[in-house]
Amino acid sequence: MLLRTFGWSFAITVVGLTLAGLFWGWEALAVVALLSVLEISLSFDNAVVNAGVLKKLNAFWQKIFLSVGILIAVFGMRLAFPVLIVSLSAQKGPIAAVQLALDEPTKYEHLVTDAHPAIAAFGGMFLLMIFLDFIFGERDIQWLRWIERPLAKLGKIDMLSVCTALTALLVSALTVATHAHQSYGHTDKTATVLLSGVAGLITYLIVGGLSGHFENRLEEEEDREHDAEEKTKEANDGPPASGLAGKAAFFTFLYLEVLDASFSFDGVIGAFAITNQIFWMALGLGIGAMYIRSLTVYLVRQGTLEDYVYLEHGAHYAIGALAVILLVTIQYQINEIITGLVGVVLIAWSFWSSVRRNRVFTDDSGSSPREAP
C-alpha cells in the first residue's frame, strides 16, 4: 500500500535530485533537497484538507488528481506561475521572462516579490472563504465546541461568510495595503489588494458553487436510482469504492487545483529566501508537491480522516491562520518557518485530541472509534 501510493514520489525524488546534481552540482542538490523537505513539512495541512475533498471522488478522478494534477502543481504553479508574474509585471513575453530569470535572477526575484500583495490578497481571500464556510457550518462532530457551537448558530445567517471575508479584505486594504512591502521599500497597493481579493472571492464562489451544485445533483440521482448500492457502501468497512463522477467530479477536481494553488502562493514566494534559481525551485517544490499529493491519496485510502475525526478541523484552523498570515504579509515579512509551525501545531493538537477521543470511546464501549458520534 505504501509503495503503491508513494512509488511515484520516490521515483521523482531520485530523478529530481539526480538532475540537480548532474546539471548544477552539489550546491543545487542540497538546495533542491532542502526545498523538498520544507514543502512537505509546511504543506501537511494542505494534504489533510485535500483528502477531505478527494474522498468524494471515484478511483478514476483520484488517479487524475495524482497524475494530471501533479503536472499542474509542478509545472503550472512552481515553474510557469512565477514566470507569468514576471511576464505581466515587466510587460515581457514568457520567453523573455525565462531569459530574465536565467540571466538576472536577482531582478527576477524582485519582480516576483513586488507582485506579492496581489498574490497574497487573492490566495488569502480564497483560503479565508474555505475556513469561514467550515467554521460557520453545522456538523455532528465538533472539536473546539466553545468556539464552533456559537459560530455554527451565527452561520445560519445568509451570506455571513462572504460578508466576513469582504470585511477582512476592506480592513486589509485600508491598513497593511497602504504600506505594502516591495523590493525597493513600501508603497500604497490599496487598489491592487482590493481587486485581487475580490477576484479570489469570486473564484471561490464560482468554482466551489459549481462543484457543490453538480455534487448535489449527483447525490439526488444516486438516492433515487442506487438504493441498493448505498446499502452496500454502508456495509463495507473503510472508504467507499465509488464516488463522484462526471461534471461533479470535474468541478471538484478544479476546486482542488485552485485550493492547491492558493496553498502554493506563499511557498513559491518564500522559496526565494533560499534561492532565486527558478529550475532549482521548480525541482525542490515539485518533489515536495508530489509527496503532498501522494499523502492526500494515502489519507483517503486508509480512511485516516474517519479514524482521527478532528484532523480535518485542525487543518481548517490552519487554513484560517494561513489566510490571515497571507494578508498580514502584504506589509510585513513573516518567516516561512513560523507559518509552517502554526499549521503543524494546530494539526498535531487536533491529532492528539482525536487519539484521546478514540481511547475514551473505546474504553467506554469497546467499539470502533469510527462509530463514535
Side-chain angles (χ1 to χ4, degrees):
M1 174 64 177
L2 189 65
L3 184 60
R4 182 162 61 95
T5 305
F6 287 89
W8 278 106
S9 297
F10 297 149
I12 293 297
T13 302
V14 173
V15 172
L17 293 177
T18 301
L19 288 175
L22 288 177
F23 283 95
W24 298 288
W26 290 104
E27 180 185 358
L29 190 150
V31 170
V32 168
L34 177 59
L35 286 172
S36 302
V37 173
L38 284 176
E39 178 75 0
I40 295 168
S41 61
L42 300 180
S43 300
F44 186 77
D45 52 349
N46 190 4
V48 175
V49 174
N50 283 352
V53 180
L54 189 66
K55 67 182 180 181
K56 302 176 184 179
L57 300 178
N58 61 20
F60 171 78
W61 279 99
Q62 289 182 11
K63 291 179 180 178
I64 292 294
F65 174 76
L66 196 55
S67 55
V68 176
I70 195 62
L71 293 177
I72 298 173
V74 175
F75 295 103
M77 286 308 303
R78 274 72 180 183
L79 182 59
F81 175 69
V83 170
L84 179 62
I85 291 174
V86 173
S87 180
L88 294 174
S89 301
Q91 298 183 347
K92 295 177 178 289
I95 296 177
V98 172
Q99 195 64 43
L100 177 67
L102 297 175
D103 297 339
E104 301 180 69
T106 302
K107 183 177 180 180
Y108 172 84
E109 176 185 346
H110 289 167
L111 289 171
V112 175
T113 301
D114 292 344
H116 179 67
I119 299 169
F122 182 95
M125 288 300 293
F126 189 91
L127 294 177
L128 184 60
M129 280 299 300
I130 294 173
F131 169 71
L132 291 175
D133 275 351
F134 178 86
I135 202 68
F136 286 142
E138 291 188 10
R139 50 187 41 83
D140 296 330
I141 297 175
Q142 295 177 331
W143 178 33
L144 305 178
R145 296 183 179 180
W146 59 278
I147 296 176
E148 295 176 16
R149 280 182 176 176
L151 290 179
K153 292 179 180 179
L154 286 174
K156 295 178 181 178
I157 302 174
D158 289 340
M159 304 299 290
L160 180 60
S161 58
V162 175
C163 292
T164 304
L166 286 173
T167 301
L169 177 61
L170 184 61
V171 171
S172 300
L174 296 177
T175 54
V176 293
T178 59
H179 293 82
H181 174 74
Q182 301 281 266
S183 58
Y184 51 83
H186 291 82
T187 188
D188 189 348
K189 288 285 185 177
T190 301
T192 299
V193 167
L194 280 174
L195 183 62
S196 300
V198 170
L201 176 61
I202 292 173
T203 301
Y204 173 84
L205 293 175
I206 291 176
V207 178
L210 288 172
S211 174
H213 169 71
F214 287 109
E215 181 181 338
N216 290 335
R217 284 183 56 184
L218 185 62
E219 288 177 354
E220 290 174 1
E221 293 175 4
E222 287 181 345
D223 288 341
R224 291 195 303 266
E225 301 175 7
H226 301 288
D227 291 338
E229 183 180 346
E230 290 298 319
K231 292 179 181 179
T232 303
K233 288 181 184 178
E234 294 176 2
N236 290 335
D237 184 28
S242 59
L244 295 181
K247 293 180 180 179
F250 171 76
F251 283 106
T252 300
F253 171 76
L254 184 61
Y255 173 80
L256 273 172
E257 291 307 311
V258 179
L259 175 62
D260 181 72
S262 298
F263 272 101
S264 303
F265 290 151
D266 199 41
V268 171
I269 300 296
F272 281 102
I274 298 174
T275 181
N276 53 19
Q277 300 292 329
I278 60 168
F279 293 117
W280 300 8
M281 289 173 56
L283 281 174
L285 297 178
I287 291 172
M290 188 67 197
Y291 277 98
I292 295 301
R293 292 295 172 112
S294 298
L295 179 59
T296 298
V297 174
Y298 181 80
L299 292 174
V300 172
R301 292 175 177 172
Q302 291 293 104
T304 305
L305 299 184
E306 285 76 18
D307 289 334
Y308 303 98
V309 295
Y310 298 141
L311 265 181
E312 198 167 358
H313 294 71
H316 277 87
Y317 280 107
I319 282 179
L322 178 58
V324 173
I325 289 172
L326 275 173
L327 295 176
V328 171
T329 57
I330 292 173
Q331 179 176 351
Y332 303 101
Q333 289 183 289
I334 298 178
N335 192 286
E336 280 289 296
I337 301 300
I338 296 176
T339 303
L341 283 176
V342 171
V344 169
V345 169
L346 286 169
I347 291 177
W349 182 14
S350 64
F351 176 78
W352 175 241
S353 297
S354 300
V355 171
R356 291 180 59 189
R357 170 187 178 275
N358 292 347
R359 287 176 180 174
V360 170
F361 184 79
T362 303
D363 291 342
D364 290 345
S365 64
S367 303
S368 169
R370 294 189 184 188
E371 302 171 7

